[in-house]
Amino acid sequence: MKTALLFTVLVLSATTGQAADSCRPGAKSVVQDLKSLCQELDKKNETHCQIKTPAKAEKVPEITYGLLSASGKMKGLFEKLNTIQQAFLKESGGCPGGCSKVNSPVVEIKTEPTGTVADPACPAVYSVLQVSATEASKFGVRQTDKFFQKAFRLVGDEKACQEKASTFAQETLMGKNEFGSFLEDHKCKSPCSYASVIRMKTEKLSKAECAVVLELSVQCGPPKKDREWKTNASLTKAFRCEVAP
């Protein structure tokens, strides 16, 4: 956070008596006083710019698809989410005066089979997969309680960042990258099936750069009844207010 006011201190002169006074126990120098004042202003400015209104989530209609229609349906879903996101990124209101708005939209996509069947080789209900610290390091992810986390930063707009993150997530779920193959071979073997949550928090760093934090929850459960899935998605219009530079 930046202090709203910039102080320039000019020390012109000091008498011997004044210098002695400033050195007495408990006495404060002018510089110390101004430093304390700056810190107090920082706290007040940060408090002034805090927002207490919860972020609103906008949902898109649920989609159901099979293997053949999956690509087209997911493409259409991401296009809808991107339309909502681009409109939100242009919004500027919502922050107190003297504060600047930083939009950080959060996309969440939940997918699961439309139906399952029991199998003794698989969990009866979906449970979150976890990896060891060594395994997480090997595949470049971070393990939290319920999610695998991976950060992306690149030259491009918010859409480019989200495409990078969503590609990693989908390739993992389809076993098309090293991490996905490892999960299939060691954590959730066939005929067990996946349910998943993809969460992406995106932020524009500059005109040329964007960043996204991907959180991927992979859950292992009973086999699919049919080769069909359903997906629910939403975009949460999250933002924060910062002290204007």
Side-chain angles (χ1 to χ4, degrees):
M1 299 293 178
K2 297 180 179 178
T3 306
L5 302 177
L6 176 64
F7 290 90
T8 302
V9 181
L10 298 178
V11 181
L12 299 178
S13 63
T15 66
T16 304
Q18 288 172 328
D21 287 342
S22 68
C23 292
R24 287 203 310 265
K28 291 183 178 180
S29 69
V30 173
V31 174
Q32 288 173 323
D33 286 341
L34 287 174
K35 182 178 179 181
S36 296
L37 180 58
C38 286
Q39 291 173 340
E40 184 62 27
L41 281 171
D42 275 337
K43 290 179 182 178
K44 288 183 178 180
N45 285 333
E46 289 172 10
T47 300
H48 173 67
C49 289
Q50 287 178 353
I51 53 173
K52 298 180 180 179
T53 305
K56 296 180 179 179
E58 186 168 342
K59 297 182 179 180
V60 299
E62 179 181 288
I63 59 173
T64 303
Y65 50 91
L67 284 175
L68 295 179
S69 61
S71 178
K73 289 286 186 76
M74 291 302 290
K75 181 180 179 181
L77 174 68
F78 275 100
E79 287 175 351
K80 289 179 182 177
L81 289 169
N82 188 59
T83 298
I84 298 171
Q85 175 176 268
Q86 292 305 316
F88 169 62
L89 289 170
K90 294 176 182 177
E91 295 179 7
S92 57
C95 287
C99 307
S100 59
K101 185 177 183 181
V102 180
N103 292 321
S104 302
V106 180
V107 169
E108 185 169 282
I109 302 167
K110 297 180 180 179
T111 301
E112 61 182 10
T114 53
T116 59
V117 294
D119 191 302
C122 303
V125 296
Y126 284 103
S127 56
V128 175
L129 295 183
Q130 294 188 325
V131 297
S132 69
T134 300
E135 292 165 342
S137 177
K138 177 181 178 181
F139 297 108
V141 298
R142 178 174 173 268
Q143 174 78 67
T144 65
D145 288 343
K146 297 181 179 180
F147 291 90
F148 301 123
Q149 193 177 81
K150 190 174 180 67
F152 299 86
R153 178 172 178 167
L154 66 151
V155 174
D157 58 14
E158 295 87 351
K159 184 179 179 181
C161 266
Q162 285 196 342
E163 286 178 347
K164 184 77 172 179
S166 64
T167 296
F168 175 83
Q170 292 180 64
E171 288 182 348
T172 297
L173 294 169
M174 293 186 291
K176 291 188 175 181
N177 58 25
E178 289 186 1
F179 186 45
S181 296
F182 171 78
L183 294 179
E184 282 191 354
D185 293 341
H186 300 280
K187 302 294 182 178
C188 189
K189 297 181 179 180
S190 181
C192 307
S193 69
Y194 284 158
S196 66
V197 178
I198 298 172
R199 188 180 293 163
M200 295 179 289
K201 183 176 182 180
T202 309
E203 191 169 310
K204 190 171 183 66
L205 301 177
S206 66
K207 290 183 179 180
E209 277 191 305
C210 61
V212 60
V213 175
L214 168 69
E215 291 184 321
L216 174 62
S217 174
V218 184
Q219 302 149 30
C220 186
K224 298 181 294 293
K225 183 178 180 180
D226 303 302
R227 296 168 71 83
E228 192 174 67
W229 295 263
K230 60 181 178 181
T231 293
N232 291 281
S234 65
L235 183 138
T236 300
K237 298 178 178 179
F239 66 93
R240 69 179 184 274
C241 300
E242 295 183 345
V243 180

